[in-house]
Amino acid sequence: MAVNMRSANRTVQQAGSDAASSRWMEWLARAGLVARGVNYVLIGILAVQIGLGGGGKEADRNGALHAIAEHPGGTLVLWLLAVGFGGLSVWRLAEAAYGQADPDGHKATKRLASLARGIFYAFVCVSIAGFLLSVGGQSSSNKQSKDFTARLMGYTGGRWLVLLIGVIVTGAAVGIVVGAIRKTFRKHLKLGQMSPQTRKVVETLGAIGYAARGVVFGVVGVFLAVAAINFDPKQSQGIDGALRKLATTPLGPWLLIAVALGLVTFGVYSCCEARWRKVRPGRGTQHA
């Protein structure tokens, strides 16, 4: 019986590994990266409009969804985005189960990061579907952040949990910026398939895009920490609020516009990733 159970487990694991490294998984991942790119391009454009004084929509995913929905064929595009983020979630969950495509992908920290991303992208997929089906409406990232912070602070020790989350998000943001400077994202790309000129362009897009993304996440993390320290959930900010806060610095709206253009750049880079990223996690990591 024990032998049969072990054999069955190996069969299931092998089937899962084969699925994770299959061609359809690769296409799910690439479609998801395009969806992520479209999302960031739209958020960046909305943020640029705010910086120029003409933005009425939130510079976050909710604002991007409304912007798409207002145009002919917008509903179809939104469903495609939902499918794309669903594919991105499945891919990341497969990475969590079978390891990433890079040499260190089997490490526990890498798998936990993939698990967190998979859950997040599943939430994004569901939220887009909810927007399309008008299930309870959609609130801005600022309201979601404030509501989430207030709920956590309502529990015993919740204030310190919010502070911990803020510190973690800020630390992750610093890591993203450092990675952008060091161009660590290159290990995920099939650089050998690019010409020297293309490689230089893609690396530049990645460095600028990841740096801008890190700045936004850093602002979100800092305000989470500030909300915890002051015991005031209203001080927490979502992506839209974080971007708007950049306009209140001494550099004024120009810093906001610069970061917004960086987010657009990250969206373009995501589409480059859809073409050249190593996305078959099952390859070479089945032993993990």
Side-chain angles (χ1 to χ4, degrees):
M1 178 65 71
V3 174
N4 289 338
M5 286 296 295
R6 285 196 297 270
S7 178
N9 286 336
R10 283 196 297 270
T11 300
V12 171
Q13 290 174 358
Q14 185 60 47
S17 178
D18 290 343
S21 60
S22 64
R23 181 66 64 179
W24 64 266
M25 181 66 73
E26 180 177 350
W27 283 109
L28 282 177
R30 298 196 188 285
L33 290 169
V34 171
R36 186 184 71 176
V38 171
N39 180 63
Y40 271 98
V41 166
L42 289 174
I43 291 175
I45 290 173
L46 292 173
V48 169
Q49 291 175 350
I50 292 172
L52 295 175
K57 293 185 177 66
E58 298 94 348
D60 56 15
R61 187 174 63 254
N62 186 54
L65 297 182
H66 278 95
I68 295 173
E70 291 175 355
H71 291 82
T75 299
L76 175 60
V77 173
L78 289 176
W79 278 117
L80 291 174
L81 285 178
V83 172
F85 276 108
L88 204 56
S89 174
V90 172
W91 170 52
R92 287 301 193 181
L93 293 175
E95 282 191 334
Y98 298 101
Q100 298 180 11
D102 64 83
D104 297 326
H106 63 281
K107 292 182 177 178
T109 53
K110 296 282 189 179
R111 292 192 173 196
L112 285 174
S114 292
L115 176 61
R117 292 187 182 105
I119 293 172
F120 171 74
Y121 289 130
F123 169 79
V124 174
C125 174
V126 171
S127 69
I128 296 175
F131 177 88
L132 285 162
L133 299 173
S134 299
V135 180
Q138 295 288 322
S139 57
S140 69
S141 61
N142 290 334
K143 186 176 186 306
Q144 290 176 1
S145 179
K146 289 175 171 58
D147 290 346
F148 172 74
T149 304
R151 282 197 299 271
L152 280 185
M153 286 187 177
Y155 296 104
T156 303
R159 177 184 185 182
W160 304 111
L161 179 57
V162 172
L163 178 59
L164 176 61
I165 293 173
V167 171
I168 291 174
V169 172
T170 304
V174 172
I176 291 173
V177 174
V178 171
I181 295 172
R182 297 176 60 189
K183 298 182 180 179
T184 57
F185 55 85
R186 291 180 297 183
K187 67 182 180 181
H188 299 296
L189 301 174
K190 299 177 181 178
L191 298 175
Q193 295 183 5
M194 304 179 192
S195 66
Q197 295 80 6
T198 300
R199 185 183 309 159
K200 184 178 296 185
V201 170
V202 172
E203 289 179 357
T204 302
L205 291 173
I208 295 173
Y210 271 110
R213 194 182 185 208
V215 168
V216 175
F217 286 169
V219 176
V220 171
V222 167
F223 275 96
L224 268 176
V226 169
I229 293 170
N230 295 330
F231 206 57
D232 182 6
K234 292 182 180 179
Q235 292 186 319
S236 64
Q237 302 290 334
I239 292 178
D240 176 66
L243 287 165
R244 291 176 188 272
K245 288 294 182 181
L246 293 175
T248 65
T249 65
L251 294 176
W254 296 111
L255 178 58
L256 167 58
I257 292 172
V259 173
L261 291 174
L263 293 181
V264 173
T265 302
F266 182 76
V268 175
Y269 169 76
S270 290
C271 293
C272 293
E273 273 200 340
R275 169 64 178 84
W276 286 293
R277 172 136 185 167
K278 304 169 187 175
V279 297
R280 304 179 78 171
R283 296 284 182 189
T285 57
Q286 291 89 334
H287 62 279

